[in-house]
Amino acid sequence: MVIAAGPVPSMEDAQSASQDDGVGQSRTRSLSVTDRIRSAILSGDFAPGERLREVQLSETLGVSRTPIRSALQALASEGLLDYAPNRGYAVRSFQTAEIVDAYEIRAMMEALAARFAAERGLTDAERRVVEGALADGDALLAKGSLQDEDRVTYGAINFAFHDAIHSAARCRMLGEMIRLCQSVAPSSHRNIVAFEFEDVRRRHDDHHRIYDAILARDSYRAEILMREHVASVRSSLVRSMLKRGSGSPASGAAGTVADRARAVS
Amino acid sequence: MVIAAGPVPSMEDAQSASQDDGVGQSRTRSLSVTDRIRSAILSGDFAPGERLREVQLSETLGVSRTPIRSALQALASEGLLDYAPNRGYAVRSFQTAEIVDAYEIRAMMEALAARFAAERGLTDAERRVVEGALADGDALLAKGSLQDEDRVTYGAINFAFHDAIHSAARCRMLGEMIRLCQSVAPSSHRNIVAFEFEDVRRRHDDHHRIYDAILARDSYRAEILMREHVASVRSSLVRSMLKRGSGSPASGAAGTVADRARAVS
DNA sequence: TCAACTCAGAATGTATACATTTCTGCACAT
DNA sequence: ATGTGCAGAAATGTATACATTCTGAGTTGA
């Protein structure tokens, strides 16, 4: 791949990182490096299947191999890298089928989160967030059409809605698994920008119904509504992939992280 | 009953099986140490919330801190340990509620795996394993009652059945997530020993029906049957917990891994 | 008596040297 | 031309020394 000069965004951070700002939160080098490498992978700075060499990364990022190794192991457990003993780490190349499957899994998990939320109820704070997201979405959609920046805004609204429900589910493992799914497939708050106005309107209507079900403690309805809500995102994704002809899972290296980002942008 | 020492049957075996064919153990110290510490945690050798100190572990296991650190990080990402920067790792103490929730999540994931298996079909090898598990179970149940060793045998049969379906789902992420659920809650092939004869008979009948649905490519039926199949295990677990009075999630440290193992043994 | 401070001890974080394995390139033989 | 085998290089695995941070006992002061 071609990362020679400007590999990771801003490698001069090594200095600013040392002086950090006042709130001395003791973030270790390992954690910082993990974030930076993760960003680089998600930005598509590495080709799919490309090996990440420890010495090279340590020189680029200005730290020793120790925090690099820790970061690579963490990213492998997040599913972003593949690991083989004595051979090291490589950027995982996702097949189109894997991305679609991840949406299926996420649909099940989000549905379960909605059911839990309905069973367990929302805190006042969570209720405020959800109702704010619904109101903001209503206002945005009242314009009758969406500009690109509006779609970005709705992406944030969408994320807030779902995040509040994950929180209300009161289940740490569920949240972690949904995050895993999102690391494979672009999260809905990022690919929402690909949808037409009517698609967004429909999704927002889903949000209203889901919240109604949760408020009514109708856990069954909340679950099936959320499942269809997320599954429909998957369907849209499949449709857009087919339209662009990038849906052929033939070549082994097809469907990189960058490809995914591009496909839904 | 105490959980037998040794690593739990897991999907990691797929990797080692593909690489070291009996002779050269190219498994690194990090991987071996990870297995040993995992077994110790699952055996209840550590109290919930107990800190795992690197130097102590390195002296006990006879390796340096480096592979220890790697193992602890891996176990934390598996959900068995909690981590705090500059403070290290501690055995995660599971609440009763978390264990029950894990069964809910697993029910959804296994149901999805059954649906995928129905949609995608089984290989000849997978079909042989499933049919063997069904036949072996039939033979075992024909006796009309079960001794303790029979229950252990059925545990293995049960594991083989489910494992073949996970394999047939053709979805790596799904397999990983089911493994995560099993690391929190004892897997059905281990706690099956707690059930009465009629319970086992019912579960085995479920297996027959699930396989029928998969063979018939009836993905919807396979899904709902599997979901109820796993969810019923959760119900049995809750019942047995209540019976033993260990279901109070009051004290913060209640519900250790060891407690869980004991509760279903 | 209690609060806060000091400072040693210990634990974790990082860097680096060394060990082992894997990859690569070339010579050589078939 | 292709396959084999053997160094040499390079990459990963491990051990260890050093740096930084946390913890807690003891002391001091109000």
Side-chain angles (χ1 to χ4, degrees):
Chain A
M1 71 111 232
V2 277
I3 187 180
V8 182
S10 67
M11 67 174 287
E12 66 281 6
D13 291 3
Q15 300 174 357
S16 63
S18 63
Q19 75 173 11
D20 242 18
D21 52 2
V23 189
Q25 52 168 1
S26 59
R27 274 178 62 81
T28 65
R29 281 174 175 67
S30 296
L31 296 177
S32 306
V33 161
T34 302
D35 288 340
R36 292 183 60 180
I37 298 178
R38 186 193 295 109
S39 300
I41 294 171
L42 292 177
S43 302
D45 291 354
F46 301 102
E50 177 178 351
R51 286 182 59 179
L52 268 59
R53 290 179 187 77
E54 299 173 1
V55 285
Q56 174 183 329
L57 285 171
S58 71
E59 290 167 0
T60 302
L61 299 178
V63 298
S64 76
R65 279 178 56 208
T66 305
I68 297 288
R69 283 179 66 83
S70 174
L72 294 179
Q73 182 178 346
L75 294 171
S77 72
E78 286 181 23
L80 290 176
L81 300 177
D82 277 319
Y83 168 75
N86 287 314
R87 292 202 39 183
Y89 300 85
V91 176
R92 180 166 164 192
S93 56
F94 293 99
Q95 309 288 340
T96 307
E98 289 184 87
I99 303 168
V100 175
D101 282 355
Y103 267 98
E104 289 280 6
I105 297 173
R106 191 158 87 87
M108 303 290 273
M109 296 291 93
E110 295 257 13
L112 186 56
R115 175 151 69 88
F116 281 166
E119 290 172 356
R120 298 165 188 185
L122 276 62
T123 65
D124 289 343
E126 286 157 357
R127 203 172 283 126
R128 274 195 298 275
V129 171
V130 171
E131 291 174 357
L134 292 175
D136 291 347
D138 289 342
L140 202 65
L141 287 166
K143 298 165 58 178
S145 68
L146 294 179
Q147 306 303 318
D148 276 359
E149 58 195 54
D150 294 332
R151 294 172 202 276
V152 173
T153 301
Y154 192 79
I157 291 171
N158 184 59
F159 178 81
F161 177 83
H162 284 276
D163 193 56
I165 290 177
H166 302 163
S167 164
R170 312 261 178 278
C171 184
R172 165 176 156 176
M173 174 175 281
L174 203 47
E176 290 171 357
M177 289 189 171
I178 291 173
R179 264 196 56 210
L180 272 183
C181 291
Q182 290 174 327
S183 77
V184 171
S187 63
S188 55
H189 79 282
R190 263 159 64 204
N191 63 31
I192 196 77
V193 297
F195 299 129
E196 300 304 318
F197 178 79
E198 285 306 324
D199 290 326
V200 177
R201 191 214 289 280
R202 165 59 197 254
R203 280 183 220 301
H204 192 62
D205 191 56
D206 286 346
H207 286 184
H208 274 289
R209 295 193 187 201
I210 290 167
Y211 183 53
D212 286 347
I214 290 175
L215 273 191
R217 298 300 182 100
D218 188 342
S219 56
Y220 175 72
R221 184 164 169 248
E223 176 182 330
I224 60 170
L225 281 175
M226 182 64 92
R227 179 167 173 177
E228 170 58 23
H229 176 66
V230 177
S232 74
V233 177
R234 182 215 50 162
S235 301
S236 299
L237 183 63
V238 172
R239 229 181 300 125
S240 93
M241 280 177 166
L242 291 178
K243 199 178 298 179
R244 293 159 195 262
S246 67
S248 75
S251 68
T256 76
V257 178
D259 286 344
R260 284 182 275 134
R262 218 175 301 122
V264 296
S265 63
Chain B
M1 172 183 292
V2 172
I3 296 178
V8 293
S10 64
M11 300 182 54
E12 293 174 4
D13 299 359
Q15 296 181 359
S16 59
S18 67
Q19 185 162 346
D20 54 339
D21 49 353
V23 63
Q25 57 155 3
S26 76
R27 279 173 60 83
T28 65
R29 281 173 175 64
S30 296
L31 295 177
S32 307
V33 161
T34 303
D35 287 340
R36 291 185 59 180
I37 299 178
R38 185 192 296 108
S39 299
I41 295 171
L42 292 176
S43 302
D45 292 353
F46 300 101
E50 178 178 351
R51 286 182 58 180
L52 269 59
R53 291 179 187 76
E54 300 172 2
V55 286
Q56 174 184 327
L57 285 171
S58 69
E59 290 167 0
T60 303
L61 299 179
V63 299
S64 76
R65 278 178 57 209
T66 304
I68 298 288
R69 285 179 64 82
S70 174
L72 294 179
Q73 182 178 346
L75 294 171
S77 73
E78 286 181 23
L80 290 176
L81 299 177
D82 277 318
Y83 169 74
N86 287 314
R87 292 201 42 184
Y89 299 84
V91 176
R92 180 167 165 191
S93 55
F94 292 100
Q95 308 288 342
T96 306
E98 291 185 86
I99 303 166
V100 175
D101 282 356
Y103 267 98
E104 290 279 7
I105 297 173
R106 191 159 88 87
M108 303 289 274
M109 296 289 93
E110 296 256 13
L112 186 56
R115 175 152 68 88
F116 281 165
E119 290 171 355
R120 299 167 187 183
L122 276 62
T123 65
D124 289 343
E126 287 157 356
R127 203 171 283 127
R128 274 194 299 273
V129 171
V130 170
E131 291 174 359
L134 292 175
D136 291 348
D138 289 342
L140 203 65
L141 288 166
K143 298 165 57 177
S145 67
L146 294 180
Q147 306 304 316
D148 276 357
E149 59 196 52
D150 294 332
R151 294 172 202 276
V152 173
T153 301
Y154 192 78
I157 292 171
N158 184 59
F159 177 80
F161 177 84
H162 284 277
D163 194 54
I165 290 178
H166 302 163
S167 164
R170 311 263 179 275
C171 183
R172 165 176 156 178
M173 174 175 279
L174 202 47
E176 290 172 357
M177 289 189 171
I178 291 174
R179 257 195 62 210
L180 273 182
C181 291
Q182 290 175 327
S183 77
V184 171
S187 63
S188 55
H189 79 280
R190 266 158 63 204
N191 65 30
I192 196 76
V193 298
F195 300 129
E196 300 304 320
F197 178 77
E198 285 306 323
D199 291 326
V200 177
R201 191 213 288 280
R202 165 59 198 253
R203 281 182 219 300
H204 191 62
D205 191 56
D206 286 347
H207 286 185
H208 274 289
R209 295 191 187 202
I210 290 167
Y211 183 53
D212 287 345
I214 290 175
L215 273 191
R217 298 300 182 99
D218 188 342
S219 56
Y220 174 72
R221 183 165 169 247
E223 175 182 332
I224 61 170
L225 281 175
M226 182 64 92
R227 178 168 173 177
E228 170 58 22
H229 177 67
V230 177
S232 75
V233 178
R234 183 215 50 164
S235 300
S236 298
L237 182 64
V238 172
R239 229 181 301 125
S240 94
M241 280 177 166
L242 291 177
K243 199 178 297 178
R244 292 159 195 264
S246 68
S248 76
S251 68
T256 76
V257 178
D259 286 343
R260 285 182 274 134
R262 220 175 300 125
V264 294
S265 63

